[in-house]
Amino acid sequence: MRLSQFHLHTEKETPAEAEIASHRLMLKAGMLRRLAAGLYTWSPLGLRVLRKVEAIVREEMDRAGALELLMPTIQPKELWEETGRWQKFGGQLLKIRDRKDAEYCYAPTAEEVITDFARNELASYKQLPLNFYQVQTKFRDEIRPRFGVMRAREFLMKDAYSFDIDAAGMQRSYEAMHAAYVRIFTRLGLRFRAVQADSGAIGGDASQEFHVLADSGEDAIAFSTGSDYAANIEAAQAAQPGPRPAAAEELRKVDTPTQKTCADVAALMGIDLSRTAKSIALVGADADGNDQFVLALVRGDHDANEIKLAKVEGLAGYRMATEAEILAHLGSEPGFLGPVAPKQPIRVLADREVAAMADFVVGANEPGFHLAGVNWGRDLPEPDHVADIRDVVEGDRAADGGELRIVRGIEVGHVFQLGSKYAEAMGCTVLDEQGKPRVLQMGCYGIGISRIVAAAIEQNFDANGILWPDAMAPWRVAVCVINPKRDDAVSAAAEALYRELSDAGIETVLDDRGLRPGQMFADIELIGIPHRVVVSGRGLEAGTFEYRARNAEESENLDRETLLARLRQPKS
């Protein structure tokens, strides 16, 4: 490819709307152009990178035995009603009507469509196992699209769906996809982690997310120093606390006239924040579906985790209690709440750490007062329910004996064990060996192809621009020509080198635009070409080429054979 014949339109100024590095650099490099909020046109340069990612994904999916198909982006309402997700999926589901007033949605995912395909195509266990995948555009109507393609409304995604006769088969399919994902992100040259995760709106029994590690990541990831354990904050767990100590203090009321937070109370009393417990007033549902007042307790130095709370029995659709409900059940205003002697019966939910505490401090359910020296079984009944309902924190002890560390990550892939969730709802069955109908077991496996491009930049950039891993770069090598129109010998040498590299299977671009060296080099660094070779009259006289790796601080003068050997080395 010759840049004189390519559309390369870089920008010198930093775009005002860009909030993170990938958005800023993709716009400056001319990879993207904004059409509307969360909608982008990919330029020829951006598309080259996108297609590199897509090709590796396809190769590894094919290698894993998945079969490619293509499903519509427009899906009928009736399918989504079969699974109950027409309403449950929420505002991200973009709903549309055709001229006959029939309702459809623009696909945010494809579980319903693939299950419909399978129930019409599969009849016998002999056809299994099967895994279908597609690379297709998706649309989710984000409330606040931001960060360029990192959180766009329209995006390119690979989604795959496995079908098995039983849970053991589903597990094997899941493991095969997990291994394929590891190969994909390894080949792309990314630093990543697979982490235990919450299944969210897709559902299912188990799932793992694949995160590209980057300081700008929206997700917090906990990992152990003692093993390969890793999980996002929504699912991460610390080790079980030790046994509860014996009570050593008497229950006493402490005057806290203006101290409403655990931190302020601890400071007033001169104790560690971890000796306090914060009370969170919620309304869930009892066994009959009626409203139930729940007081959730977490240690004062911890934060409650909304996802974990929602998994506790009776709290699937919980809400925060109103001040009127709090007053009716506890007799106090927020800031002084606690589980001791409520006015009305309540359900007490204690985090595991709180259930293991002794001599702790809580609100007294009386404005201006807290209780110290509180102990379970003596001053209040044992909690009605004990569960892990908090975020882990840096330094927590892990179950494997190591310590938990917190890093930031960008989710780029997610694998789910769906089980029978969709197949049962949509009547997707085959006949087993005994000739009896069996509901199929499914897995679901997604990769955000367009998001990977942005995530790779967040992990690989400097002050001058993008530093692509070789596998993702639009070209591996840029041959830069100094004064091509004024020096025929230089132009001919650059042309010969360009052809030799291209014939050797090394993706090379010839920068023959005739720009000044500073501007030309700035463009090549901005768009992230891993290897730059400069052909100049001075170099020809010395029998050398100026070579510089994108991540190197200095250039090197190499003879032809040394240069070719360097560039023929395996891709990093």
Side-chain angles (χ1 to χ4, degrees), residues 186-209:
T186 300
R187 285 184 60 186
L188 289 171
L190 300 172
R191 300 187 304 279
F192 69 95
R193 272 190 177 270
V195 305
Q196 295 178 17
D198 178 71
S199 296
I202 304 300
D205 302 321
S207 72
Q208 284 181 291
E209 293 172 351

Side-chain angles (χ1 to χ4, degrees), residues 166-182:
D166 55 25
M170 177 186 67
Q171 181 66 32
R172 288 191 293 271
S173 296
Y174 180 87
E175 291 171 358
M177 286 294 97
H178 186 281
Y181 276 38
V182 170

Side-chain angles (χ1 to χ4, degrees), residues 36-95:
L39 303 176
Y40 290 89
T41 297
W42 289 76
S43 75
L45 178 70
L47 190 61
R48 285 187 68 89
V49 178
L50 192 69
R51 293 293 183 244
K52 293 288 188 69
V53 177
E54 188 177 333
I56 289 176
V57 170
R58 273 199 170 92
E59 288 170 12
E60 292 300 338
M61 292 303 294
D62 293 344
R63 176 182 170 187
L67 304 173
E68 186 171 7
L69 47 60
L70 188 64
M71 293 176 276
T73 58
I74 304 298
Q75 303 178 356
K77 173 185 178 181
E78 290 75 20
L79 287 183
W80 283 72
E81 287 184 322
E82 286 188 57
T83 60
R85 292 207 299 173
W86 186 253
Q87 298 298 332
K88 288 182 181 178
F89 205 87
Q92 286 189 328
L93 193 63
L94 181 64
K95 300 174 181 178

Side-chain angles (χ1 to χ4, degrees), residues 32-329:
L32 292 177
R33 291 295 179 250
R34 182 180 183 274
L35 178 65
L39 303 176
Y40 290 89
T41 297
W42 289 76
S43 75
L45 178 70
L47 190 61
R48 285 187 68 89
V49 178
L50 192 69
R51 293 293 183 244
K52 293 288 188 69
V53 177
E54 188 177 333
I56 289 176
V57 170
R58 273 199 170 92
E59 288 170 12
E60 292 300 338
M61 292 303 294
D62 293 344
R63 176 182 170 187
L67 304 173
E68 186 171 7
L69 47 60
L70 188 64
M71 293 176 276
T73 58
I74 304 298
Q75 303 178 356
K77 173 185 178 181
E78 290 75 20
L79 287 183
W80 283 72
E81 287 184 322
E82 286 188 57
T83 60
R85 292 207 299 173
W86 186 253
Q87 298 298 332
K88 288 182 181 178
F89 205 87
Q92 286 189 328
L93 193 63
L94 181 64
K95 300 174 181 178
I96 54 180
R97 293 176 183 268
D98 67 8
R99 68 180 65 197
K100 297 180 180 178
D101 211 32
E103 291 189 81
Y104 298 83
C105 66
Y106 197 120
T109 184
E111 284 78 21
E112 282 81 3
V113 175
I114 195 66
T115 307
D116 179 67
F117 177 81
R119 70 182 173 184
N120 289 305
E121 294 287 322
L122 306 181
S124 169
Y125 74 96
K126 295 179 181 180
Q127 296 172 270
L128 304 175
L130 278 174
N131 188 331
F132 300 108
Y133 82 94
Q134 67 169 349
V135 177
Q136 180 62 289
T137 302
K138 300 290 189 299
F139 189 97
R140 295 181 185 177
D141 201 3
E142 295 280 354
I143 295 176
R144 184 176 167 236
R146 60 195 187 279
F147 307 149
V149 296
M150 192 73 77
R151 190 165 292 281
R153 292 194 292 169
E154 184 180 80
F155 52 94
L156 187 65
M157 180 179 179
K158 186 284 302 177
D159 45 326
Y161 305 89
S162 61
F163 295 87
D164 288 276
I165 193 66
D166 55 25
M170 177 186 67
Q171 181 66 32
R172 288 191 293 271
S173 296
Y174 180 87
E175 291 171 358
M177 286 294 97
H178 186 281
Y181 276 38
V182 170
R183 293 194 300 269
I184 287 167
F185 296 118
T186 300
R187 285 184 60 186
L188 289 171
L190 300 172
R191 300 187 304 279
F192 69 95
R193 272 190 177 270
V195 305
Q196 295 178 17
D198 178 71
S199 296
I202 304 300
D205 302 321
S207 72
Q208 284 181 291
E209 293 172 351
F210 285 78
H211 285 258
V212 168
L213 304 182
D215 291 339
S216 60
E218 290 187 277
D219 298 309
I221 300 167
F223 70 94
S224 173
T225 59
S227 71
D228 61 356
Y229 171 80
N232 65 22
I233 290 296
E234 296 170 349
Q237 291 191 350
Q240 285 275 7
R244 182 193 298 165
E249 298 180 8
E250 294 297 321
L251 180 67
R252 62 192 186 278
K253 185 184 290 189
V254 179
D255 189 4
T256 54
T258 61
Q259 288 76 20
K260 293 187 175 184
T261 68
C262 288
D264 289 342
V265 172
L268 176 70
M269 297 179 63
I271 61 174
D272 194 275
L273 185 58
S274 63
R275 291 189 57 193
T276 66
K278 67 179 72 170
S279 300
I280 306 164
L282 310 172
V283 174
D286 62 18
D288 297 322
N290 300 313
D291 283 354
Q292 182 181 53
F293 190 93
V294 179
L295 198 66
L297 304 176
V298 295
R299 223 167 66 183
D301 58 336
H302 291 159
D303 291 320
N305 183 300
E306 295 180 3
I307 302 296
K308 291 180 179 180
L309 278 173
K311 290 183 176 181
V312 174
E313 183 180 358
L315 292 182
Y318 78 88
R319 61 175 173 81
M320 302 302 294
T322 65
E323 290 198 15
E325 289 168 328
I326 292 171
L327 185 63
H329 286 85

Side-chain angles (χ1 to χ4, degrees), residues 416-449:
F416 302 83
Q417 293 183 32
L418 296 177
S420 61
K421 175 181 171 71
Y422 294 93
E424 187 167 3
M426 298 182 68
C428 184
T429 65
V430 298
L431 297 180
D432 63 16
E433 293 183 69
Q434 286 73 44
K436 296 181 179 180
R438 288 276 293 275
V439 175
L440 292 182
Q441 299 291 306
M442 293 174 58
C444 170
Y445 319 97
I447 284 183
I449 292 177

